[in-house]
Amino acid sequence: MEYVSNGSSNVMLEMSMKESGTEVEFDVIAQGTWELNKNELLESFTKLTITRFIVDGRNLPPEQFPQQLKEAFIGTATGSEIIQLDERVLLTKNGGSKTTCSRQ
């Protein structure tokens, strides 16, 4: 994740999930926006590109990624609790997931 001082962000994610017995994996490159609100980091994607899409171990073309799922990511604000924020580290928590970013 790259957070730019103008409130924009660039993100690369590897995601996996299991839904109704189907295993899905996908890689995402996204652009978005971010802002700080007290002890919370609010983020929203404005553009999403799927670069890898796997269903039950089978590689599929990224174009076959469900459009409605892609659209569900875009414009949806996500808030994460800020655990640590200093000159070198941003540590956030969202549900049971923690994310650590270091300043480059």
Side-chain angles (χ1 to χ4, degrees):
M1 296 181 190
E2 175 186 39
Y3 297 103
V4 183
S5 61
N6 67 1
S8 66
S9 63
N10 299 297
V11 180
M12 292 188 331
L13 298 170
E14 295 178 1
M15 301 186 76
S16 62
M17 60 165 112
K18 191 170 190 172
E19 182 69 32
S20 302
T22 301
E23 292 184 34
V24 177
E25 298 175 42
F26 54 97
D27 294 352
V28 173
I29 296 175
Q31 288 79 44
T33 60
W34 67 273
E35 66 178 276
L36 296 177
N37 182 11
K38 298 182 183 175
N39 68 334
E40 189 174 37
L41 173 64
L42 301 174
E43 302 176 86
S44 181
F45 293 142
T46 56
K47 182 178 178 187
L48 195 76
T49 303
I50 307 300
T51 58
R52 182 179 69 99
F53 182 39
I54 299 173
V55 177
D56 287 333
R58 293 176 306 155
N59 283 310
L60 298 174
E63 299 79 34
Q64 290 186 8
F65 189 83
Q67 187 65 27
Q68 68 272 20
L69 186 54
K70 188 175 180 181
E71 290 172 358
F73 283 106
I74 295 175
T76 302
T78 303
S80 300
E81 178 185 1
I82 298 172
I83 306 297
Q84 178 182 347
L85 176 60
D86 57 40
E87 293 297 318
R88 302 203 32 91
V89 174
L90 167 63
L91 175 62
T92 59
K93 180 180 177 185
N94 185 323
S97 168
K98 289 185 181 179
T99 302
T100 303
C101 298
S102 60
R103 180 170 277 189
Q104 303 265 329

